Amino acid sequence: MTLDDLKSRAVSTPSIASLFDDEPDRLDRMCHRVGPLRADFSKQHVSADDLEALIAMADTLDVPGWQQRLFAGDPINQSEKRAVLHTALRGVGGKAVADDVAAMRARMGRFATDIRSSNRFDDIVHIGIGGSDLGPRLVADAFAATLTASPRLHFANNVDGASVNDAIRGLDPKRTLVIVVSKSFGTQETKMNAESVRDWLTAAGCSAADHVLAVSANRDRAIDFGIDPDNIFDFWDWVGGRYSIWSAVGLSLAIAYGPDAFGEMLDGAGAMDRHFRDTPMAENIPVLMALIGVWNRNAHGYDSLAVIPYARRLRKLAAFLQQLEMESNGKGATRDGGQAGLTCPVIWGDEGTNGQHAFFQWLHQGTSHGGNGGAPVDFVAVLKDHEDRPDHHLALLANCFAQSEALMLGKGEAVVRQENADREDIDSLAPQKTFPGNRPSTTLTLDALTPSAIGHLIALYEHKTFVQGVIWGLNSFDQWGVELGKVLAETILSELESGEAGQHDPSTIALIRMAR
Ligand SMILES: O=P(O)(O)OC[C@H]1O[C@](O)(CO)[C@@H](O)[C@@H]1O
């Protein structure tokens, strides 16, 4: 079976509800666990036979070979001629870099411990954007389920002055540590925010050497920017920005929440790496998640995937996954220069239960191109109550479980007619109150929101993204599509500063003139 065959195959897949009748072992076969993370794929619109065919397709497309090349440190990021070794940061694969990784982790651990015990700083301002921001923000929230940040953590990402102003508002510069995180150290937003915070420090009589650290894979540029060489934490070009939370990019987390928590997160991710590397595809959670995502995209024609954590402390998950999946696989050219077919869907979402009072109407009854309305959903729930509010927690879980059941079962028109038999407008009302159902979802549960569990969860999505890239024929580790806008923004910025609009389309010239 090839990607092109999926659509015709899906036409004969029975409804999700009837798959439970047809396949008595469905629940057991479609639920898998690694440590604290359990994945339930049974409410996906895919039969046992479909899944078997998808696994055979993955085999034909050499997913196992790509897995081996990933862990071996082969230069699988071909367009940039780089290895992809974020798993080595979790102690799995990439033997050649193990010493560098161990040395950096030891330095981070010592540094974090010193800062925590010195009581020199009340606050950390973490400056970065994209992969140098989204992971640390997601994890900082998640760690707060079980730990208290000390020093407190603040983030500045956007070039909008509101971002840096919000981050430093009310802080005492003398008691603030600034960590500038940029793999390239060439990112406009990060450099501007770093300059503004440095001005804020020096205006208060603080020396940048005592207050500003950098984390970068480009030491020279960090030094040129004026960072003291002793204050630079390096990482390497074989760590992609959106896969970098495990490197020194996580330094602010290690300081604020302690190196032990950071290490537990790495160990959790490492456990997911070993599962991914060593488990047959039929039981391999990242592989199954990837294949089901491909099925939903290429067979059922869904354009998006909603990610709904029923856990407030994971509310940045969708934003994180937007970069991870859409920057990795939002591409139209294959790695050998061919034309790709349908690739990464739009990733979106918000925390449950809030989303229920906003976009769930669309999930249940919305229409979309190609006939399948709504979107597949990844529900993420945490079984343990970390807030000491058992009544709230049970209500939260009840809502999560109810939504996946409602999406799957829907509500038929006959039932609606029976319930509303006394309405004289029943003919117009019944279709409006009918739920088509048969809408697919996965439910991921974490036993508790521990650092290990968040490590498992992020690594799961990383490997899912990798496998999907292999199946779609993409290089998931470059991002040429972000360059054009960056270059144009530099040009327009100089024109805004000089007041002279250059060669543009009429709309852009009018906007430049207006801003002047
Ligand atoms: O860490 P850097 O080099 O500042 O880059 C930030 C982000 O910008 C991007 O290059 C996209 O513009 C991302 O891939 C990256 O995570």
Side-chain angles (χ1 to χ4, degrees), residues 108-109 112-113 116 124 143 250-263:
M108 281 174 71
T113 305
R116 285 166 70 78
I124 298 171
F143 277 6
L251 181 64
S252 42
L253 298 168
I255 300 173
Y257 292 98
D260 290 349
F262 189 69

Side-chain angles (χ1 to χ4, degrees), residues 129-132 182-184 187 241-242 323 327 479 482 486:
I129 195 164
S132 298
S182 175
K183 180 176 174 184
S184 60
T187 304
R242 51 194 176 272
Q323 190 202 16
E327 200 172 75
Q479 56 284 321
V482 303
K486 282 188 194 173

Side-chain angles (χ1 to χ4, degrees), residues 71 73 147 155 239 296 307 365 381 385 388 393 418 438 477:
F71 287 108
L147 300 158
F155 293 90
V239 184
N296 284 334
V307 180
Q365 291 187 314
D385 169 27
D388 198 16
H393 194 65
Q418 214 172 27
N438 203 28
F477 302 103

Side-chain angles (χ1 to χ4, degrees), residues 174-205:
K174 295 193 171 55
R175 298 204 37 93
T176 298
L177 175 67
V178 177
I179 306 184
V180 185
V181 183
S182 175
K183 180 176 174 184
S184 60
F185 231 90
T187 304
Q188 182 197 49
E189 294 92 329
T190 301
K191 285 169 72 179
M192 239 180 219
N193 282 332
E195 272 162 18
S196 298
V197 173
R198 191 165 56 188
D199 291 348
W200 171 74
L201 287 169
T202 44

